[in-house]
């Protein structure tokens, strides 16, 4: 039987998409379980924000070995932004990194993201989705800032779950 590359690539692509969807659904299943264990007085947003903080902190620690200050701050910043974008791309988002006007700022632009869809499937508000994404991103920076002796922040300028068509975040030196 002849090898059909197109068929194999299509199969792999489908498997990748299925795995990406499972990541999102698993997060929201976890959220349901955590809320059930926390009891009826638990605030769903507080539980989600704590999880987002833990996720962001872990991503920050993972990014430190991949960042190289020796090539200069501008290259370092693009590398940090690229690593952040890569995390969401692996989950099925379409994300681009765009140069800022200053060498110490860059923009990360999500043109498509599966997370609002997962949130809707599990009855989570769009505002919670934005706030959790923001918390993840903000929680990446403290360890990175300490390790490299810098002070970078990230702010959300636009958000898909708020009906603004894209998520646009500015990563900048404070």
């Amino acid at each position: 039987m002849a090898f059909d590359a197109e068929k194999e690539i299509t199969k792999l692509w489908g498997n990748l998409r299925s795995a990406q969807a499972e990541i999102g659904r698993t997060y929201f299943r976890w959220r349901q379980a955590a809320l059930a264990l926390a009891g009826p007085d638990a605030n769903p947003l507080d539980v989600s924000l704590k999880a987002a903080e833990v996720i962001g902190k872990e991503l920050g620690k993972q990014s430190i070995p991949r960042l190289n200050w020796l090539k200069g701050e501008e290259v370092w910043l693009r590398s940090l932004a690229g690593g952040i974008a890569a995390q969401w791309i692996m989950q099925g988002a379409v994300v681009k990194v765009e140069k800022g006007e200053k060498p110490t700022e860059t923009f990360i632009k999500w043109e498509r993201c599966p997370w609002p869809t997962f949130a809707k499937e599990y009855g989570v508000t769009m505002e919670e989705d934005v706030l959790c994404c923001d918390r993840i991103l903000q929680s990446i920076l403290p360890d990175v800032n300490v390790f490299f002796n810098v002070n970078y922040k990230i702010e959300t300028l636009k958000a898909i779950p708020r009906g603004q068509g894209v998520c646009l975040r500015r990563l900048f030196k404070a």
Side-chain angles (χ1 to χ4, degrees):
M1 177 176 222
F3 178 76
D4 184 343
E6 187 173 333
K7 182 178 178 182
E8 291 302 316
I9 290 169
T10 300
K11 205 182 329 178
L12 287 171
W13 187 254
N15 290 343
L16 172 65
R17 292 292 178 217
S18 294
Q20 290 168 334
E22 194 57 29
I23 290 168
R25 290 186 182 105
T26 297
Y27 171 82
F28 286 105
R29 291 175 193 138
W30 164 88
R31 182 183 175 279
Q32 287 178 333
L35 286 171
L37 289 172
D41 295 331
N43 180 338
L45 180 59
D46 290 343
V47 171
S48 293
L49 289 175
K50 184 61 182 173
E53 186 177 314
V54 170
I55 292 166
K57 188 166 183 60
E58 289 297 314
L59 292 175
K61 286 181 198 175
Q62 291 171 15
S63 70
I64 289 172
R66 293 173 181 84
L67 297 171
N68 185 347
W69 190 262
L70 298 176
K71 293 183 180 180
E73 189 170 12
E74 192 172 350
V75 172
W76 176 89
L77 178 60
R78 293 222 14 118
S79 179
L80 175 60
I84 290 170
Q87 287 296 322
W88 270 262
I89 290 167
M90 285 188 292
Q91 298 168 34
V94 175
V95 187
K96 295 178 181 174
V97 175
E98 299 175 349
K99 197 171 185 168
E101 290 181 18
K102 304 173 197 167
T104 56
E105 88 175 344
T106 191
F107 294 90
I108 308 168
K109 183 178 181 181
W110 284 252
E111 294 178 347
R112 190 176 67 220
C113 184
W115 285 91
T117 300
F118 300 140
K120 281 182 188 176
E121 285 179 25
Y122 287 86
V124 175
T125 68
M126 292 296 97
E127 190 59 20
E128 182 175 319
D129 182 59
V130 173
L131 293 174
C132 286
C133 193
D134 286 349
R135 182 66 58 93
I136 289 170
L137 294 166
Q138 291 160 358
S139 298
I140 288 171
L141 295 175
D143 286 340
V144 170
N145 282 338
V146 167
F147 190 85
F148 288 97
N149 194 29
V150 294
N151 185 21
Y152 275 84
K153 299 205 180 290
I154 192 163
E155 65 180 346
T156 297
L157 303 175
K158 294 181 180 180
I160 292 168
R162 291 181 178 147
Q164 296 171 314
V166 298
C167 288
L168 183 63
R169 270 113 181 174
R170 176 178 170 246
L171 180 60
F172 63 99
K173 190 172 193 174

